[in-house]
Amino acid sequence: MKKMAALLMTIMLFLTVSAHAEPASADFLTAWPDYALEDQLIIPDTPNGDYAFLIIRNAQQRMLIGLHREESQWVQFIASPNPVPQGSLPARFTPIPAGDYWRLWDDTGDYVYTADGLGFAIYTSDGTMYHEGVEFAWNEGGFQLVSYQYAPGRYVDLMDDLFIFYTIINGFEESAAAPFVADLDWIHFAALPHSAGELQ
């Protein structure tokens, strides 16, 4: 609890000047002395204001820190290892620019979707290919899981409560519907299903 309070105070001190300012990693890390900063991302101008995300890690785990700017201060709304892939490979943020995107499993173009520029992904990589990842998009007043990768070339898209399993080589494999809470703070990457059978 003291560590969380120290983190929040440190971030508020260094992020109050500009909504678009990036966290000062050297100052930020004083609140988490056994963690190192892996990556950081600012997402400004959502319908609910500005957000900042950081990935930090130590020898045991990786954590996602989420901050929301409220007036002149940044307020932490999540600090958890659950939403992000773990393991020893480095993790990086990838912003999802605004535009139209073709889904890899969609041969007909019937499910092209339009991103609003408020989404982001986190992928682990060995420098040659992505191994695991999560993608979040702004929806219903917050960030929600829309896609994840659980192995090289193996992916799942979420469309409401429909899970679509596919590979980069073969495309669509199977789908299944199941009730699911996609909110960022509910996601536990290690527990996400890898097949339709796991949803039953």
Side-chain angles (χ1 to χ4, degrees):
M1 191 63 144
K2 289 181 180 177
K3 205 178 253 191
M4 289 292 179
L7 168 66
L8 182 57
M9 288 181 63
T10 302
I11 291 172
M12 287 183 352
L13 283 172
F14 291 97
L15 293 184
T16 55
V17 175
S18 168
H20 303 281
E22 293 187 2
S25 59
D27 299 315
F28 164 77
L29 290 173
T30 60
W32 297 81
D34 58 336
Y35 280 79
L37 181 70
E38 271 194 302
D39 205 5
Q40 55 195 341
L41 177 71
I42 303 289
I43 299 184
D45 305 325
T46 78
N48 196 33
D50 302 327
Y51 286 83
F53 292 95
L54 304 103
I55 304 170
I56 62 174
R57 73 166 303 133
N58 62 14
Q60 285 76 45
Q61 70 179 1
R62 171 178 290 120
M63 299 252 306
L64 178 67
I65 308 295
L67 307 164
H68 176 237
R69 189 168 193 254
E70 298 182 5
E71 296 181 357
S72 62
Q73 296 183 335
W74 289 90
V75 177
Q76 178 184 296
F77 69 92
I78 188 171
S80 173
N82 293 336
V84 291
Q86 298 297 319
S88 60
L89 293 176
R92 295 289 178 264
F93 285 111
T94 301
I96 309 299
D100 294 334
Y101 290 85
W102 192 291
R103 299 177 191 273
L104 291 178
W105 49 267
D106 177 18
D107 294 332
T108 62
D110 292 336
Y111 296 95
V112 171
Y113 69 98
T114 302
D116 57 11
L118 303 178
F120 67 95
I122 301 168
Y123 285 106
T124 63
S125 173
D126 62 5
T128 302
M129 65 177 66
Y130 291 142
H131 283 248
E132 295 180 315
V134 287
E135 183 178 331
F136 296 95
W138 183 264
N139 188 34
E140 297 180 2
F143 293 96
Q144 296 189 344
L145 183 69
V146 294
S147 181
Y148 59 96
Q149 177 183 357
Y150 60 88
R154 305 195 67 85
Y155 302 87
V156 182
D157 281 355
L158 280 80
M159 297 176 62
D160 297 319
D161 288 335
L162 184 66
F163 289 73
I164 300 165
F165 301 86
Y166 62 100
T167 70
I168 200 167
I169 301 295
N170 300 323
F172 176 86
E173 288 191 331
E174 58 181 345
S175 64
F180 184 72
V181 178
D183 296 346
L184 172 64
D185 54 351
W186 280 76
I187 298 303
H188 195 296
F189 180 80
L192 292 171
H194 298 176
S195 69
E198 292 183 26
L199 289 167
Q200 299 176 10

